[in-house]
Amino acid sequence: MADYAEITYAVAGRIATVTLDRPEARNGYTIRMADKLGDALDRADRDEDVRVVVLTGAGKDFCVGADLSQGGFDFDSSTGPGAAWQEPAGRCSKRVFTMNKPVIAALHGAAVGGGITITLACDYRLASEDSRFGFVFTRRGIYPEGASAWFLPRLVGMGTALDWMISGRVFPAAEALEKGLVHQVFPAGTVLGEAHELAREIVAKTAPVSVAVTRQLLYRMASAESPFPVHELDSKLIGGLGASPDAVEGVMSFLQKRPPSFGMRVDKDLPDYLPWLEK
């Protein structure tokens, strides 16, 4: 387990578990927490021994949003953030967006404000029956953050996003499941175990390079103006499968009715023509 302030980070079975760790403050979100989350996500994304990240919170709540216990926000309001300043929830959601590893959020108790917006880029949001959600910004006289105005309508549709964000109301896990904000709801006390079970399935049955390309294809290409540029990229990817050891292994393991053993690495084997890669 790595030493961090306000979070914990542990790797076991190729799963990195990142835990918001301010239970005495109901995991109230701070700039320090944002910085440590960014570092932990960077670490997991660079580590080829990590295949999946599970994000959760210590104590009875996942995260109650920005820590307002000092009567204000966690930056110097006397001078105001500079032009290059990046608000802390978006630092996390953007880093999750760019991950090559899937991220599973295991949510319980309150997940409101920044406590839900930081998870909107996750591949899965699993909830507990005791979960409560809210985009409560209008009830505090503030504004949506975490790039949530981009993520949320894509997950639940514009009508639901408008309802939740304009009203700022808190809603239960059943509504979150019905509207598509969360993928599944589990009995109280079991959601973290279920998240790890899902992570183990991904580790055992999927190819890391294929997962990395697929999650980025979905995010980066979903807003293309037509299917044609997406198909152009698809064609390059499919046309290169003859030289892909993972594709050969995937077919052979299927034919031989055995578990696959994929050997390609995200740090070395991503196709170099992917348009989102840094040049």
Side-chain angles (χ1 to χ4, degrees):
M1 181 178 292
D3 291 329
Y4 284 98
E6 304 193 357
I7 70 167
T8 63
Y9 179 94
V11 177
R14 307 198 72 184
I15 302 165
T17 301
V18 180
T19 305
L20 310 184
D21 194 24
R22 300 184 68 225
E24 74 288 349
R26 304 178 69 192
N27 295 322
Y29 197 73
T30 68
I31 286 183
R32 189 182 196 189
M33 183 182 282
D35 291 342
K36 300 307 178 184
L37 277 174
D39 185 82
L41 292 168
D42 284 344
R43 181 175 186 163
D45 216 20
R46 292 194 304 265
D47 186 352
E48 285 297 309
D49 190 49
V50 170
R51 285 289 321 280
V52 183
V53 177
V54 172
L55 177 63
T56 191
K60 66 177 184 177
D61 295 297
F62 174 73
C63 177
V64 296
D67 186 350
L68 303 179
S69 61
Q70 302 304 311
F73 296 99
D74 188 22
F75 56 81
D76 186 353
S77 59
S78 64
T79 58
W85 186 79
Q86 297 283 300
E87 60 83 13
R91 299 180 199 176
C92 181
S93 62
K94 289 194 304 180
R95 186 61 188 91
V96 174
F97 176 90
T98 61
M99 293 283 286
N100 286 311
K101 316 290 175 70
V103 182
I104 303 168
L107 307 170
H108 60 281
V112 300
I116 185 61
T117 63
I118 64 171
T119 74
L120 295 183
C122 294
D123 302 84
Y124 298 88
R125 280 164 302 284
L126 307 183
S128 174
E129 288 176 342
D130 66 357
S131 295
R132 304 180 310 284
F133 304 96
F135 299 87
V136 297
F137 310 105
T138 58
R139 298 195 178 197
R140 304 292 179 268
I142 58 178
Y143 312 106
E145 31 73 304
S148 54
W150 189 89
F151 286 110
L152 188 61
R154 285 166 167 79
L155 294 172
V156 301
M158 184 61 77
T160 298
L162 285 165
D163 171 22
W164 287 348
M165 283 196 164
I166 296 299
S167 71
R169 63 184 177 85
V170 174
F171 52 93
E175 183 175 346
L177 179 63
E178 178 190 358
K179 300 296 187 181
L181 179 63
V182 301
H183 294 80
Q184 288 179 273
V185 176
F186 297 98
T190 67
V191 68
L192 183 57
E194 295 288 351
H196 281 130
E197 181 62 28
L198 173 59
R200 286 191 289 270
E201 181 178 3
I202 294 170
V203 170
K205 297 184 178 180
T206 69
V209 171
S210 178
V211 167
V213 172
T214 298
R215 79 178 304 275
Q216 289 298 318
L217 269 175
L218 287 165
Y219 263 140
R220 306 286 185 153
M221 307 303 284
S223 59
E225 69 278 8
S226 78
F228 297 106
V230 186
H231 185 242
E232 183 178 347
L233 182 54
D234 291 348
S235 297
K236 288 183 180 180
L237 289 164
I238 301 303
L241 289 181
S244 168
D246 275 1
V248 173
E249 171 61 13
V251 172
M252 293 305 296
S253 63
F254 172 76
L255 294 175
Q256 295 169 4
K257 297 181 172 56
R258 60 171 174 80
S261 179
F262 296 114
M264 293 173 64
R265 296 167 56 101
V266 172
D267 61 350
K268 298 190 302 184
D269 298 319
L270 289 175
D272 60 9
Y273 53 78
L274 295 173
W276 55 82
L277 294 182
E278 294 182 5
K279 303 302 181 183

